[in-house]
């Protein structure tokens, strides 16, 4: 459910934590603003990381592995090209989405493909122990195929889950909702969130009032962690558009052991991942003699 007027929540969610995502270095010369995954907010089960990136060539994220989780790349401006060790390639442009379930192993490069700054969000979603070693899988959606609802000054792109009665075709291995809202000046929205799920908001532009109508407005580059509850209300009382993503997921409630891009349940499984990567086995077979092609920047 999403609604432009009637909250009708039994237990509205409020903001319990606010985190400013400051710029930091990542990859090869790239700058990211990390909200989830930084010291103040190590993770928010099932979410491991949210980076807002803004990258121009020759910086980028050259060949690196992943195991045990999903990465969701959603472009806001410009484009990013990816290549993996199985020969899978593509370019994600503004509005497009790449939902990559790394499972037992992916090695890939992610490099800017547009002129100037290439901006987007990358979210890492943990996989349950039973899914960590699954075969890798991609779900790719062009912006024109992302479901969108425009109503009463609210414009929502449905990356995952459902809003205003419209559902995303993306299959979420770990149950997840991911909504990209733009609220025009004066607009408000009341969005249902499954009560047992953890959820947060990340503000992309403008300023908005979240949860409590008397709260002071929050501006871009901030993540807001939400309390338990059945929905979130948001008001744009400013003179410019407000854009934010609302992300929620079913907690896995499993131990998390992370070593960079390997996320498992136990230290021994991390050691296994390091060995598998090193010896090109158990999912990393195709790493043997593979290197990404030079990018045309
Ligand atoms: C990474 C080195 C990396 N945030 N946002 C170490 F380069 C990366 C990495 C990224 C990344 C990629 C994109 Cl396209 C967007 C990102 C980190 O690839 F995750 C680790 N641990
Ligand atoms: Fe990656």
């Amino acid at each position: 459910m999403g609604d432009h007027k009637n909250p009708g929540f039994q237990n509205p969610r409020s903001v319990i934590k606010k985190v400013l995502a400051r710029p930091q270095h990542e990859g090869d010369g790239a700058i990211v603003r990390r909200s989830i995954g930084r010291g103040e907010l190590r993770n928010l089960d099932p979410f491991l990381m949210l980076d807002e990136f803004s990258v121009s060539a020759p910086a980028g994220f050259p060949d690196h592995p992943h195991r045990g989780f999903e990465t969701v790349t959603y472009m806001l401006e410009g484009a990013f090209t990816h290549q993996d060790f199985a020969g899978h390639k593509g370019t994600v442009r503004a509005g497009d989405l790449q939902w990559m379930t790394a499972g037992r192993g992916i090695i890939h490069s992610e490099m800017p493909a547009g002129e100037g700054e290439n901006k987007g969000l990358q979210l890492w979603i943990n996989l349950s122990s039973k899914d960590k070693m699954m075969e890798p899988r991609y779900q790719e959606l062009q912006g024109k195929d992302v479901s969108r609802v425009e109503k009463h000054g609210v414009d929502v792109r449905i990356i995952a889950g459902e809003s205003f009665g419209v559902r995303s075709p993306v299959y979420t291995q770990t149950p997840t909702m991911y909504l990209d809202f733009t609220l025009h000046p004066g607009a408000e929205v009341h969005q249902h969130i499954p009560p047992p799920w953890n959820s947060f908001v990340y503000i992309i532009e403008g300023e908005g009032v979240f949860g409590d109508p008397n709260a002071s407005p929050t501006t871009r580059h901030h993540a807001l962690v939400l309390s338990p509850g059945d929905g979130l209300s948001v008001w744009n009382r400013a003179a410019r558009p407000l854009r934010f993503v609302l992300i929620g997921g079913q907690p896995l409630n499993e131990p998390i052991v992370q070593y960079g891009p390997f996320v498992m349940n136990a230290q021994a499984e991390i050691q296994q991942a390091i060995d598998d990567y090193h010896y090109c086995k158990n999912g990393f077979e195709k790493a043997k003699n593979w290197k990404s092609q030079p990018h045309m920047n």
Side-chain angles (χ1 to χ4, degrees), residues 64 66 71 100 108 110 122:
H64 61 276
H66 294 275
T71 69
M100 180 183 92
H108 69 171
E110 297 157 284
Q122 188 170 92

Side-chain angles (χ1 to χ4, degrees), residues 26-28 32 34 49 51 53 60-62 64 66 73 80 108 110 122 124 260-261:
E26 186 56 277
D28 183 4
V32 301
R34 182 161 299 166
M49 189 194 87
D51 279 359
F53 56 91
F61 307 95
H64 61 276
H66 294 275
T73 307
F80 246 68
H108 69 171
E110 297 157 284
Q122 188 170 92
W124 289 10

Side-chain angles (χ1 to χ4, degrees), residues 29-284:
I31 303 281
V32 301
R33 289 178 178 268
R34 182 161 299 166
S35 44
I36 294 174
R38 60 185 300 114
E40 304 124 270
L41 190 55
R42 260 290 110 223
N43 54 67
L44 183 70
D45 190 9
F47 306 109
L48 302 162
M49 189 194 87
L50 180 71
D51 279 359
E52 179 186 5
F53 56 91
S54 181
V55 180
S56 51
F61 307 95
D63 306 5
H64 61 276
H66 294 275
R67 173 180 280 183
F69 60 100
E70 304 185 280
T71 69
V72 180
T73 307
Y74 181 47
M75 290 305 293
L76 300 173
E77 205 178 302
F80 246 68
T81 294
H82 61 91
Q83 299 176 31
D84 82 4
F85 67 165
H88 185 80
K89 286 182 196 191
T91 300
V92 190
R93 300 173 195 285
D96 299 353
L97 172 72
Q98 183 201 55
W99 196 291
M100 180 183 92
T101 308
R104 63 213 310 255
I106 285 282
I107 302 177
H108 69 171
S109 67
E110 297 157 284
M111 302 299 279
E115 306 263 304
E117 294 292 314
N118 298 274
K119 300 185 185 184
L121 297 174
Q122 188 170 92
L123 176 70
W124 289 10
I125 309 173
N126 204 2
L127 286 168
S128 71
S129 55
K130 69 168 175 25
D131 292 333
K132 282 186 178 294
M133 294 300 281
M134 68 181 275
E135 280 302 314
R137 148 165 209 218
Y138 288 93
Q139 297 175 83
E140 280 153 329
L141 223 54
Q142 292 196 338
K144 64 175 172 57
D145 300 320
V146 172
S147 308
R148 184 170 173 186
V149 178
E150 291 180 84
K151 249 184 197 153
H152 309 286
V154 177
D155 179 347
V156 57
R157 293 157 202 261
I158 304 149
I159 307 300
E162 186 180 330
S163 185
F164 289 93
V166 177
R167 242 197 118 66
S168 161
V170 169
Y171 178 76
T172 60
Q173 203 71 39
T174 301
T176 302
M177 65 187 286
Y178 189 152
L179 305 172
D180 171 9
F181 283 103
T182 298
L183 266 58
H184 294 289
E188 60 185 78
V189 71
H190 307 279
Q191 174 61 50
H192 172 75
I193 302 168
W197 290 15
N198 287 325
S199 64
F200 69 100
V201 158
Y202 186 78
I203 294 111
I204 298 167
E205 63 182 44
E207 58 175 74
V209 173
F210 294 85
D212 174 353
N214 299 313
S216 44
T218 306
T219 54
R220 68 180 177 164
H221 307 316
H222 286 90
L224 302 174
V225 179
L226 304 179
S227 69
D230 58 350
L232 174 70
S233 297
V234 183
W235 297 268
N236 182 5
R237 301 206 188 106
R240 57 194 166 128
L242 162 67
R243 189 176 185 190
F244 66 93
V245 292
L246 169 60
I247 296 173
Q250 184 177 297
L252 298 169
N253 294 309
E254 290 180 10
I256 299 169
V257 184
Q258 176 166 4
Y259 177 72
F262 303 138
V263 183
M264 304 301 289
N265 299 113
Q267 187 55 44
E269 294 167 341
I270 291 293
Q271 193 52 54
Q272 186 67 51
I274 294 168
D275 287 354
D276 290 348
Y277 177 51
H278 185 82
Y279 295 109
C280 303
K281 57 188 177 65
N282 293 324
F284 289 116

